[in-house]
Amino acid sequence: MTSLRLIGAGALLLASALAYADPCKIAIESNDLMQFNAREIVVPASCSEVELTLSHSGKLSARIMGHDWVLARDSDMSGIVNAGLAAGASRGYLPDSDKRIIAATRIVGGGESTTVKFSTAGLVQGTRYAFFCTTPGHSAMMHGMFEFGARARLAEARK
Ligand code: ZN
């Protein structure tokens, strides 16, 4: 019985700690090994705006190991990566005013960080979104899943 109470107290502590973190503010890290530190980003449906900060914990310059963070529908990822390749380095490997891009940061190098704010008004719950880096050759390793609302619904169901 005592151990059960302890588990209950621990869960309560965790819940209150989570309540203080703003779930609409996301931080993601990249590095010199062509990696993001997250495979999945979940944003609750209650967020009308998302603030995402991309940092680069490596030492290599943006020209050698630069990364950006781009959000789009999963099915648009390869098309955007190819369009970014065609756009070239001077445009930050991003096609100009491409409607498929939901949000994108600039490219950062080692020690740098950048923040992008975007509205969730155009996001549909249950749709598969992907985040990825458009620097040539990076997206195979640097991509992950972006969910809007799904995990939040699960949490509400547990209440
Ligand atoms: Zn990259």
Side-chain angles (χ1 to χ4, degrees), residues 30-31 34-36 65-68 133-135 138-139 142:
S30 59
N31 61 25
M34 221 187 276
Q35 293 167 328
F36 285 129
M65 187 51 75
H67 304 302
D68 61 2
C133 173
T134 59
T135 302
H138 286 208
S139 66
M142 300 189 74

Side-chain angles (χ1 to χ4, degrees), residues 27-111:
I28 187 165
E29 205 178 286
S30 59
N31 61 25
D32 284 343
L33 301 172
M34 221 187 276
Q35 293 167 328
F36 285 129
N37 71 342
R39 284 252 156 227
E40 191 185 34
I41 293 175
V42 181
V43 170
S46 56
C47 298
S48 58
E49 194 177 57
V50 174
E51 186 182 311
L52 182 130
T53 299
L54 167 70
S55 60
H56 190 317
S57 63
K59 289 188 163 56
L60 298 173
S61 74
R63 207 163 44 82
I64 296 164
M65 187 51 75
H67 304 302
D68 61 2
W69 184 92
V70 179
L71 176 67
R73 280 174 187 258
D74 192 44
S75 53
D76 287 334
M77 180 170 87
S78 61
I80 292 170
V81 167
N82 286 334
L85 194 63
S90 62
R91 298 199 182 276
Y93 298 113
L94 272 181
D96 264 343
S97 58
D98 190 315
K99 287 205 170 67
R100 295 173 296 181
I101 296 172
I102 297 165
T105 69
R106 66 179 180 92
I107 288 180
V108 291

